[in-house]
Amino acid sequence: MNKFLKHLMSKKIFFGLYFLFFIVALVFAFTEIKGFGIFWFDNHRNKILNIFFEAVTKLGEYYIFIFFIIYFLIKKSRVSFSIMALGVFIPFISYALKSFFKHPRPLTYFYKYLKHVNFKGIEDMHYHTGHNSFPSGHTFAAFALFTFLMLISKNKSWQFIYLLIPVLVGLSRIYLAQHFIEDVAFGSILGIIMAGFIYYLFFILWKNKTFLDVDILSLKGKKI
């Protein structure tokens, strides 16, 4: 455990900046009217931002997990198996929490509880409705994946990038009016906790489990 905590302490840039992001998100969530971020973005939209955030939000979907699983399967199988574990656990945890809290999606909330709604939105955008908003699954997934990649990285200068990507994913969920700020904030902390757990499991607790370190290239040509 001491080794794990020491490793976390070496990632001060990432966790320091994340702490600021989380505090700012909480301040907005508890001091502004519900949906403040969504309405602010709705009044500052343009085509470039629409395209940008529609693309960024996909970094919290399963495609990116598949890419890294395949990439690391050849280079570092232990990392690949770790990302597989994240990809398995996250959907189940996200679904369980959404089903438990049953918080309304932004559009469901706006049209049910607000008397006057001036929401322009994005043309041809599919807006989720219902009561499965909390937490943000995309934010959960993005923070889990990129926090884990940050934990295994030896390049300190990349810590900012590993934080920027999931933060942008979280902002995209607000910009696209799919989630509230509090959904994103809670999803982010869940992702970091999950990443830490998987890292501890695969790289500290199971460090000597050699079956996790498979040399795929050495198996090429061998009969099974």
Side-chain angles (χ1 to χ4, degrees), residues 14-58:
F14 180 93
F15 289 110
L17 291 175
Y18 170 73
F19 180 74
L20 291 177
F21 162 77
F22 186 72
I23 292 299
V24 170
L26 288 184
V27 169
F28 277 107
F30 288 104
T31 62
E32 298 292 342
I33 62 169
K34 194 175 183 67
F36 165 79
I38 294 172
F39 287 119
W40 189 90
F41 277 131
D42 197 48
N43 290 323
H44 296 83
R45 294 191 192 283
N46 60 59
K47 291 183 179 179
I48 294 176
L49 286 178
N50 291 350
I51 294 171
F52 175 74
F53 280 118
E54 285 180 38
V56 165
T57 205
K58 294 189 180 299

Side-chain angles (χ1 to χ4, degrees), residues 103-117:
H103 286 193
R105 289 275 186 169
L107 263 64
T108 299
Y109 176 85
F110 294 155
Y111 290 104
K112 185 175 182 180
Y113 297 105
L114 301 184
K115 293 182 180 180
H116 303 288
V117 179

